[in-house]
Short mmCIF file of all heavy atoms in Angstrom, two decimals:
data_model
loop_
_atom_site.label_atom_id
_atom_site.label_comp_id
_atom_site.label_asym_id
_atom_site.label_seq_id
_atom_site.Cartn_x
_atom_site.Cartn_y
_atom_site.Cartn_z
N ARG J 42 10.28 3.88 3.88
CA ARG J 42 10.24 2.44 3.60
C ARG J 42 11.13 1.76 4.62
O ARG J 42 12.09 2.34 5.11
CB ARG J 42 10.73 2.13 2.19
CG ARG J 42 9.81 2.69 1.13
CD ARG J 42 10.31 2.27 -0.23
NE ARG J 42 9.43 2.82 -1.24
CZ ARG J 42 8.71 2.08 -2.05
NH1 ARG J 42 8.75 0.78 -1.96
NH2 ARG J 42 7.94 2.63 -2.95
N ASN J 43 10.83 0.56 4.90
CA ASN J 43 11.63 -0.18 5.89
C ASN J 43 12.80 -0.86 5.19
O ASN J 43 12.92 -2.08 5.19
CB ASN J 43 10.74 -1.20 6.60
CG ASN J 43 11.41 -1.73 7.84
OD1 ASN J 43 12.36 -1.16 8.34
ND2 ASN J 43 10.91 -2.85 8.34
N MET J 44 13.64 -0.04 4.56
CA MET J 44 14.80 -0.57 3.85
C MET J 44 15.92 0.47 3.86
O MET J 44 15.68 1.66 4.07
CB MET J 44 14.43 -0.95 2.42
CG MET J 44 13.97 0.20 1.58
SD MET J 44 13.39 -0.27 -0.06
CE MET J 44 14.78 -1.05 -0.76
N ALA J 45 17.13 0.01 3.64
CA ALA J 45 18.29 0.90 3.63
C ALA J 45 18.27 1.79 2.39
O ALA J 45 17.90 1.36 1.31
CB ALA J 45 19.57 0.09 3.67
N ASP J 46 18.69 3.03 2.57
CA ASP J 46 18.79 4.00 1.48
C ASP J 46 20.26 4.12 1.10
O ASP J 46 21.06 4.65 1.86
CB ASP J 46 18.24 5.35 1.95
CG ASP J 46 18.27 6.41 0.88
OD1 ASP J 46 18.83 6.16 -0.21
OD2 ASP J 46 17.74 7.50 1.14
N PRO J 47 20.66 3.63 -0.08
CA PRO J 47 22.07 3.69 -0.46
C PRO J 47 22.59 5.12 -0.56
O PRO J 47 23.78 5.35 -0.37
CB PRO J 47 22.11 2.98 -1.81
CG PRO J 47 20.73 2.98 -2.31
CD PRO J 47 19.84 3.01 -1.11
N HIS J 48 21.72 6.08 -0.84
CA HIS J 48 22.17 7.47 -0.91
C HIS J 48 22.59 7.97 0.47
O HIS J 48 23.40 8.89 0.58
CB HIS J 48 21.05 8.37 -1.45
CG HIS J 48 20.61 8.00 -2.82
ND1 HIS J 48 19.44 7.31 -3.05
CD2 HIS J 48 21.19 8.18 -4.02
CE1 HIS J 48 19.31 7.11 -4.34
NE2 HIS J 48 20.36 7.63 -4.96
N ARG J 49 22.06 7.38 1.51
CA ARG J 49 22.37 7.81 2.87
C ARG J 49 23.66 7.19 3.40
O ARG J 49 24.48 7.86 4.01
CB ARG J 49 21.21 7.47 3.81
CG ARG J 49 21.47 7.92 5.22
CD ARG J 49 20.28 7.68 6.11
NE ARG J 49 20.60 8.10 7.47
CZ ARG J 49 19.90 7.80 8.52
NH1 ARG J 49 18.80 7.09 8.40
NH2 ARG J 49 20.26 8.21 9.71
N TYR J 50 23.85 5.90 3.19
CA TYR J 50 24.99 5.25 3.84
C TYR J 50 26.24 5.12 2.98
O TYR J 50 27.28 4.74 3.48
CB TYR J 50 24.58 3.89 4.42
CG TYR J 50 24.17 2.84 3.44
CD1 TYR J 50 25.11 2.09 2.75
CD2 TYR J 50 22.83 2.57 3.21
CE1 TYR J 50 24.73 1.11 1.86
CE2 TYR J 50 22.44 1.60 2.32
CZ TYR J 50 23.40 0.87 1.64
OH TYR J 50 23.02 -0.10 0.77
N VAL J 51 26.18 5.45 1.69
CA VAL J 51 27.38 5.42 0.85
C VAL J 51 28.15 6.72 1.05
O VAL J 51 27.64 7.80 0.76
CB VAL J 51 27.01 5.21 -0.63
CG1 VAL J 51 28.23 5.34 -1.52
CG2 VAL J 51 26.36 3.86 -0.81
N THR J 52 29.35 6.63 1.56
CA THR J 52 30.12 7.83 1.88
C THR J 52 30.71 8.52 0.65
O THR J 52 31.01 9.71 0.69
CB THR J 52 31.26 7.51 2.87
OG1 THR J 52 32.07 6.49 2.31
CG2 THR J 52 30.70 7.07 4.19
N ALA J 53 30.88 7.81 -0.46
CA ALA J 53 31.46 8.41 -1.66
C ALA J 53 30.58 9.54 -2.19
O ALA J 53 31.08 10.55 -2.68
CB ALA J 53 31.66 7.34 -2.72
N GLY J 54 29.28 9.40 -2.08
CA GLY J 54 28.37 10.43 -2.57
C GLY J 54 28.32 11.66 -1.69
O GLY J 54 27.91 12.73 -2.12
N ARG J 55 28.74 11.53 -0.45
CA ARG J 55 28.70 12.67 0.47
C ARG J 55 29.91 13.58 0.35
O ARG J 55 29.85 14.74 0.75
CB ARG J 55 28.60 12.17 1.91
CG ARG J 55 27.26 11.56 2.21
CD ARG J 55 27.20 11.29 3.68
NE ARG J 55 25.97 10.64 4.05
CZ ARG J 55 25.06 11.18 4.84
NH1 ARG J 55 25.24 12.37 5.34
NH2 ARG J 55 23.97 10.52 5.14
N ALA J 56 30.99 13.08 -0.19
CA ALA J 56 32.23 13.86 -0.27
C ALA J 56 32.05 15.12 -1.13
O ALA J 56 32.58 16.18 -0.80
CB ALA J 56 33.36 13.00 -0.81
N ASP J 57 31.31 15.00 -2.22
CA ASP J 57 31.13 16.14 -3.12
C ASP J 57 29.82 16.89 -2.89
O ASP J 57 29.43 17.73 -3.69
CB ASP J 57 31.22 15.67 -4.57
CG ASP J 57 30.12 14.70 -4.96
OD1 ASP J 57 29.50 14.12 -4.05
OD2 ASP J 57 29.89 14.54 -6.17
#
Side-chain angles (χ1 to χ4, degrees):
R42 294 184 181 243
N43 194 16
M44 63 185 301
D46 181 353
H48 300 103
R49 181 175 179 194
Y50 65 81
V51 174
T52 56
R55 290 188 183 244
D57 63 342

